[in-house]
Amino acid sequence: MKIAKLLTVFAMTSILFTSCVAIIEDDDFVVVPEVTLGELLISYDLWYVNINETQGNGEVPFLQRAFTVTFDNDYTMYANNNLVGIGNRGNGLGIDVGSYDTFGKFIEIDHDVDGLWRLEVFQRGDNRIEIYDRTSNTSYYLTGYQKYNFDYDFVFYDNIQYFLQEYNTWEKTFVSEEGALNDFDAENFLAFLADGNGDTFLSSTDASGTPIRNIQYDYEGIYEVFDIAGENKVKTLTLDYDFLGNDYFELYVINDNTIELYHPDSETIYEFKGRGYTQFLKQESKKGTTSKKRKKTINKTMKVKVRRDKKVS
């Protein structure tokens, strides 16, 4: 039996940031050098918040919103709360959301909006930590990355439903000449909401150029984003219109404020531009929706083939 295997289970499963610690690698206990909590947190440029691994029924608001957090060595905390501009804003780190300090195995965060939080941190792997909130008995699991090996595109496309929600509305700016006439041709505005009871969309036939505050939405339904097997940058989007039945669109992202919807049944291409961008430093409220937060979501896979002849890169 290896000497490392004589370490106690307690030492294996939690870190007190004192002397040496142990983690599991291939069923063996591996001793890793001592580091303080502060040293561990600044050793990675970004910590990705694996929201689907969250345990507990409570929440830490600023972790529930964030895709990534960063603990800078000047005790500033940064976060990527938006997908628009991710990888570019704040040199890839996002925006300044507060300050922090460490005390043993605790981190104290003074968030600009959510106030003061004292959280417990456990190391669960070489680049993996658990942040535990005793008050709500809730744990978040974060994975550390350097900017040069962090896949911003994966985060963007894996969470694309949140991208749709970051604009107050999407205005149709282009319809292809090719394609059969269909009822969706009349829809000029789409709004994607997370209302707490599912993902709701609103649509309007108001004239293009209508100010956001004056748009009258005349239809409300449920939308859902699906993966396509073997496709990383193409999704399908279903809009629950009574008149479209079980129809769907292929969803392409042109840039940070432009999407393309391709309707396979009519072979029509629609282009929409986002209007009214919301930067989520805090939980902003939109009309008809609760404040934005992430939730556990695993996209279903739609068993279809991409029909669009010229894919958008």
Side-chain angles (χ1 to χ4, degrees), residues 74-94:
D74 66 355
Y75 299 101
T76 301
M77 181 178 174
Y78 296 87
N80 276 301
N81 295 331
N82 286 77
L83 291 172
V84 173
I86 192 168
N88 297 318
R89 183 171 285 109
N91 196 25
L93 304 182

Side-chain angles (χ1 to χ4, degrees), residues 172 181-190 201-205 217-222 238-249 263 265-266 270 272:
K172 185 167 66 183
L181 293 174
N182 68 91
D183 291 327
F184 189 72
D185 290 344
E187 305 299 322
N188 289 325
F189 293 94
L190 294 172
F201 81 93
L202 307 174
S203 68
S204 172
T205 58
Y217 292 101
D218 42 42
Y219 190 87
E220 177 177 328
I222 301 298
T238 60
L239 301 177
D240 184 19
Y241 278 108
D242 292 337
F243 53 79
L244 285 179
N246 294 323
D247 222 343
Y248 72 95
F249 299 84
H263 187 226
D265 275 9
S266 68
Y270 304 94
F272 286 80

Side-chain angles (χ1 to χ4, degrees), residues 194-210:
D195 59 10
N197 298 313
D199 291 327
T200 301
F201 81 93
L202 307 174
S203 68
S204 172
T205 58
D206 284 357
S208 296
T210 301

Side-chain angles (χ1 to χ4, degrees), residues 16-301:
L16 299 181
F17 304 103
T18 52
S19 55
C20 60
V21 295
I23 60 175
I24 298 177
E25 285 188 3
D26 299 327
D27 296 325
D28 287 338
F29 297 164
V30 179
V31 177
V32 295
E34 172 192 3
V35 293
T36 66
L37 175 55
E39 289 169 337
L40 173 64
L41 294 177
I42 68 173
S43 64
Y44 292 96
D45 295 329
L46 305 113
W47 291 91
Y48 178 62
V49 183
N50 301 293
I51 202 69
N52 287 335
E53 297 181 358
T54 304
Q55 296 179 355
N57 296 321
E59 67 176 37
V60 177
F62 53 86
L63 290 178
Q64 196 74 25
R65 288 191 296 271
F67 297 99
T68 72
V69 293
T70 295
F71 304 98
D72 205 0
N73 57 12
D74 66 355
Y75 299 101
T76 301
M77 181 178 174
Y78 296 87
N80 276 301
N81 295 331
N82 286 77
L83 291 172
V84 173
I86 192 168
N88 297 318
R89 183 171 285 109
N91 196 25
L93 304 182
I95 60 175
D96 178 345
V97 296
S99 59
Y100 77 95
D101 205 348
T102 57
F103 307 91
K105 62 177 180 178
F106 290 92
I107 181 170
E108 194 170 88
I109 296 170
D110 188 2
H111 192 269
D112 290 346
V113 170
D114 298 314
L116 195 63
W117 292 72
R118 189 175 176 87
L119 305 168
E120 198 167 0
V121 183
F122 302 92
Q123 186 172 3
R124 298 306 190 193
D126 187 42
N127 68 329
R128 182 173 165 82
I129 58 174
E130 173 190 354
I131 297 183
Y132 176 66
D133 175 36
R134 289 185 175 183
T135 302
S136 64
N137 191 28
T138 301
S139 290
Y140 290 84
Y141 293 88
L142 285 65
T143 305
Y145 293 91
Q146 307 302 346
K147 284 190 297 184
Y148 68 83
N149 68 355
F150 185 68
D151 193 341
Y152 289 98
D153 283 347
F154 170 79
V155 174
F156 185 95
Y157 284 97
D158 197 48
N159 296 276
I160 202 167
Q161 65 271 23
Y162 299 110
F163 169 65
L164 298 176
Q165 297 166 12
E166 290 181 7
Y167 289 96
N168 290 334
T169 195
W170 293 84
E171 179 179 1
K172 185 167 66 183
T173 56
F174 172 81
V175 182
S176 64
E177 294 183 3
E178 299 80 8
L181 293 174
N182 68 91
D183 291 327
F184 189 72
D185 290 344
E187 305 299 322
N188 289 325
F189 293 94
L190 294 172
F192 297 94
L193 313 175
D195 59 10
N197 298 313
D199 291 327
T200 301
F201 81 93
L202 307 174
S203 68
S204 172
T205 58
D206 284 357
S208 296
T210 301
I212 293 176
R213 65 181 178 277
N214 295 335
I215 297 172
Q216 298 294 315
Y217 292 101
D218 42 42
Y219 190 87
E220 177 177 328
I222 301 298
Y223 77 94
E224 190 169 0
V225 175
F226 293 81
D227 292 337
I228 303 176
E231 299 287 345
N232 295 324
K233 296 186 178 181
V234 184
K235 304 289 184 179
T236 58
L237 172 69
T238 60
L239 301 177
D240 184 19
Y241 278 108
D242 292 337
F243 53 79
L244 285 179
N246 294 323
D247 222 343
Y248 72 95
F249 299 84
E250 292 175 9
L251 169 62
Y252 300 85
V253 177
I254 309 299
N255 55 45
D256 272 359
N257 82 326
T258 309
I259 59 173
E260 179 184 280
L261 299 181
Y262 174 68
H263 187 226
D265 275 9
S266 68
E267 298 184 339
T268 306
I269 299 168
Y270 304 94
E271 192 171 284
F272 286 80
K273 288 189 179 295
R275 290 178 53 189
Y277 167 67
T278 301
Q279 180 170 287
F280 292 111
L281 172 61
K282 56 184 178 180
Q283 295 183 343
E284 300 283 355
S285 292
K286 303 175 186 177
K287 185 178 180 180
T289 182
T290 57
S291 52
K292 177 260 187 187
K293 64 179 72 173
R294 296 174 69 198
K295 59 186 179 182
K296 293 184 179 182
T297 304
I298 298 178
N299 291 341
K300 301 174 186 175
T301 299

